[in-house]
């Protein structure tokens, strides 16, 4: 298929080099990660970080995640603790973000962290972002590559659709495998999940040998990831539906639902991981097909289902 987007490039030596040159200049680049696509910039550069906030129309009070190659690169900027190392050893590089105390001498731009004394730190596993991180001497500030409060992108075309020609370089490496954003866990005190993800509370409990809480709301600051309305497809979303109007789109889960034009099955096999990976693509597809409303069946609220329900709940909030 011919690439109709002039700013999407496949990953090779040349585009790796081009990405690095752009990031060094303080430009932003759209990059694939294992969770969702991100809008990357130099976390030490005011110019770069300003561009990220501006392009996303993101309020400055909502801090960004800082991405590193490994913990050695991060330890000069944040205070690492025992819980961190337990989780790092098990899951990193991978889809988990740690909230840690920022060191005074950290070079991260203060508005990356919205002036907080903590930093969200992640070590992505995706080959593209890792090969870039390996070759640069600054970390990447990288939110999901969508306009603020919208649905996160899971492929390069989604990114181009969000920002049109306003970004010059997007690296295409196919669909993001996981399909929802990383689990965010606050490790500055008693561990607390701020954003559920594919790494579920059950599995974290096992590693930390504790019972962690899932934050209902964050009191310290307001951020879209924590705000009620987020991940919004721009049309009403109704949850836990049994019956529905045939004019509308119906998001289903499990084999008992037939294949119909307006039925969108997240996982015929009732597999929550598969359902998570299909969620955002499905929301975008339904919007593109010009349905006016989305009905969603009840999704089991356990393990990865907690993350799916978290996103659906925010998507449904008008
Ligand atoms: O999977 C991901 O995490 C993707 C990929 C691109 O890495 N990134 C991502 O970034 O989802 P973003 O900016 O869309 O979401 C970051 C979330 C927001 O909810 C933000 O409020 C929270 O992390 N966050 C960032 N810094 C924080 C901090 N210091 N304390 C608490 N929450 C923080
Ligand atoms: Mg986001």
């Amino acid at each position: 298929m011919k690439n109709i987007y002039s700013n999407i490039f496949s990953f090779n030596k040349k585009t790796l080099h081009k990405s690095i040159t752009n990031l060094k200049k303080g430009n932003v680049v759209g990059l694939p990660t294992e969770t969702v696509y991100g809008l990357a910039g130099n976390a030490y550069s005011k110019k770069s970080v300003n561009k990220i906030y501006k392009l996303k129309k993101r309020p400055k009070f909502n801090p960004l995640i800082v991405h590193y190659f490994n913990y050695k690169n991060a330890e000069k900027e944040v205070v690492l603790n025992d819980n961190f190392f337990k989780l790092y050893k098990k899951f990193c590089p991978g889809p988990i973000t740690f909230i840690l105390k920022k060191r005074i001498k950290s070079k991260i731009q203060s508005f990356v962290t919205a002036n907080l004394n903590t930093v969200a730190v992640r070590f992505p596993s995706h080959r593209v972002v890792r090969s870039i991180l390996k070759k640069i001497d600054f970390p990447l500030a990288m939110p999901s590559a969508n306009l603020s409060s919208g649905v996160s992108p899971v492929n390069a075309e989604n990114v181009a659709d969000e920002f049109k020609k306003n970004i010059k370089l997007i690296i295409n490496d196919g669909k993001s495998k996981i399909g929802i954003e990383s689990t965010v866990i606050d490790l500055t005190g008693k561990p607390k999940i701020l954003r559920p993800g594919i790494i579920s509370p059950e599995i974290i409990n096992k590693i930390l040998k504790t019972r962690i809480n899932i934050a209902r709301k964050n009191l310290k600051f307001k951020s879209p990831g924590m705000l009620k309305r987020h991940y919004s497809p721009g049309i009403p979303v109704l949850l836990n539906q049994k019956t529905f109007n045939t004019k509308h789109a119906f998001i289903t889960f499990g084999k008992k639902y037939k294949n119909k034009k307006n039925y969108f099955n997240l996982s015929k096999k009732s597999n929550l991981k598969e359902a998570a990976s299909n969620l955002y693509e499905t929301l975008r597809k339904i919007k593109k097909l010009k349905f006016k409303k989305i009905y969603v069946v009840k999704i089991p609220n356990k393990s990865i289902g907690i993350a799916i329900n978290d996103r659906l709940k925010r998507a449904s909030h008008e």
Side-chain angles (χ1 to χ4, degrees), residues 18-130:
K18 205 170 160 183
S19 303
I20 292 172
T21 318
N22 268 287
L23 290 165
K24 281 185 177 161
K25 273 198 255 171
N27 292 332
V28 295
V29 181
L31 296 178
T33 88
E34 71 277 21
T35 55
V36 298
Y37 273 63
L39 185 63
N42 177 351
Y44 295 159
S45 154
K46 211 174 189 158
K47 179 180 163 195
S48 221
V49 180
N50 258 324
K51 274 191 188 164
I52 293 176
Y53 278 98
K54 212 166 153 198
L55 276 168
K56 277 185 64 86
K57 300 195 172 70
R58 179 163 173 135
K60 283 266 167 77
F61 59 72
N62 186 20
L64 308 176
I65 299 178
V66 181
H67 299 68
Y68 293 91
F69 183 73
N70 61 26
Y71 80 89
K72 288 213 167 95
N73 301 114
E75 70 188 344
K76 45 188 188 299
E77 318 247 40
V78 289
V79 181
L80 308 178
N81 55 36
D82 286 353
N83 283 334
F84 167 82
F85 281 109
K86 282 183 199 156
L87 296 170
Y88 181 90
K89 234 167 103 186
K90 180 77 186 169
F91 302 117
C92 293
I96 184 162
T97 296
F98 310 98
I99 308 297
L100 296 162
K101 250 190 133 147
K102 188 176 173 180
R103 290 191 192 277
I104 293 165
K105 62 181 181 191
S106 160
K107 290 193 283 182
I108 297 166
Q109 281 294 323
S110 61
F111 59 112
V112 165
T113 59
N115 283 318
L116 296 168
N117 57 5
T118 55
V119 190
V121 173
R122 176 158 120 77
F123 309 89
S125 64
H126 195 283
R127 65 170 185 147
V128 170
V129 64
R130 264 182 85 73

Side-chain angles (χ1 to χ4, degrees), residues 148-186:
S148 190
S149 92
V151 174
S152 293
V154 293
N155 60 47
E157 291 79 17
N158 291 166
V159 181
D161 288 343
E162 290 284 324
F163 300 109
K164 312 290 181 228
K165 293 280 152 57
N166 291 330
I167 66 177
K168 303 282 174 280
L169 179 59
I170 302 165
I171 303 295
N172 177 11
D173 202 37
K175 187 182 167 188
S176 288
K177 279 214 174 70
I178 292 171
I180 57 168
E181 306 81 356
S182 61
T183 303
V184 178
I185 182 165
D186 186 346

Side-chain angles (χ1 to χ4, degrees), residues 33 61 139 143 146 148 159 170 189 218 233 264-265 284 311:
T33 88
F61 59 72
N146 54 280
S148 190
V159 181
I170 302 165
N218 194 304
F264 300 84
N265 203 324
R284 277 180 192 269
R311 306 309 192 273

Side-chain angles (χ1 to χ4, degrees), residues 238-256:
L238 288 91
L239 306 182
N240 303 321
Q241 301 295 309
K242 285 192 186 118
T243 53
F244 74 104
N245 185 320
T246 46
K247 273 200 325 237
H248 301 310
F250 193 36
I251 295 184
T252 59
F253 178 78
K255 64 172 184 296
K256 72 173 181 191

